[in-house]
Amino acid sequence: MKLIAEGVGKKFDRNWIFRDLSFQLASGERVAITGRNGSGKSTLLRILTGSLSATKGQISYFEADAPISNDLISSKINFCAPYIELPEEFTLHELLVFHANFRKPILQIENILERFGYPDAWHKKIGHYSSGMKQRVRLLLAFFFDGHLIALDEPTTNLDETGISWYQSEINQIAKNKTILISSNQRSEYGFCEKNIELSLS
């Protein structure tokens, strides 16, 4: 997926978070959005993935140089953020099967479970998971289901050292075939990216 942002800006009340941002994200490219806390990294990522509207500017999406209609964009983007709620009454196995009704898995469900680790937890309700395990679930849904763009907001939030190593191993494999966009101020999360969009405080 190719993305073009032209003059994008966002304000809350009378305060501009950022304005007049223009850039391109090429298909297969790996891009980090960086900047100090409060500079608008998560806000920009949410705008680029369609979960938040820009105050001004335009974002266009293309596949093989053909424009993607607005009603299809969400089906081509896998978005992961620590604030996304998970259905805690589901087991992990049930959640993956349920998710497969809406988006094609790129591995068999059993193989996705194996990539998660924690085999004793596959059939436990997600509500009983630790915060780090829940973040792994969010990453599983972003990594292993069909999507042209993977957008990650602070992806290693709540992960311990083992979890961070797991993330780095998985993202290095996934990034070979996907367009990646990461909002972060931790180099361990985005160090493999080729391009950096740095935001400054207004």
Side-chain angles (χ1 to χ4, degrees), residues 87-162:
E88 298 194 340
E89 70 278 10
F90 281 15
T91 67
L92 177 58
H93 184 269
E94 290 170 341
L95 177 61
L96 294 177
V97 171
F98 175 77
H99 205 72
N101 291 321
F102 305 95
R103 198 180 294 264
K104 182 181 178 181
I106 62 175
L107 297 175
Q108 296 293 325
I109 297 298
E110 292 74 17
N111 297 130
I112 299 176
L113 287 168
E114 290 173 1
R115 299 290 276 271
F116 175 73
Y118 299 103
D120 292 341
W122 296 351
H123 297 286
K124 291 181 179 179
K125 290 186 177 181
I126 292 172
H128 297 154
Y129 283 13
S130 68
S131 58
M133 292 171 69
K134 289 178 182 177
Q135 184 62 8
R136 281 204 191 201
V137 173
R138 297 182 184 99
L139 290 167
L140 280 186
L141 298 177
F143 288 168
F144 298 114
F145 286 82
D146 191 37
H148 293 74
L149 169 65
I150 296 179
L152 308 175
D153 191 2
E154 299 184 348
T156 63
T157 297
N158 296 322
L159 296 186
D160 57 18
E161 290 185 7
T162 300

Side-chain angles (χ1 to χ4, degrees), residues 18-38:
F18 50 77
R19 66 176 84 188
D20 299 324
L21 293 178
S22 297
F23 54 86
Q24 293 189 22
L25 175 62
S27 180
E29 197 167 29
R30 301 172 295 185
V31 179
I33 302 172
T34 63
R36 294 175 57 189
N37 291 342

Side-chain angles (χ1 to χ4, degrees), residues 182-199:
I182 300 177
S183 166
S184 174
N185 55 15
Q186 301 292 330
R187 183 164 292 277
S188 60
E189 296 180 332
Y190 68 85
F192 63 92
C193 292
E194 304 125 337
K195 182 187 290 185
N196 183 16
I197 301 169
E198 185 170 3
L199 303 181

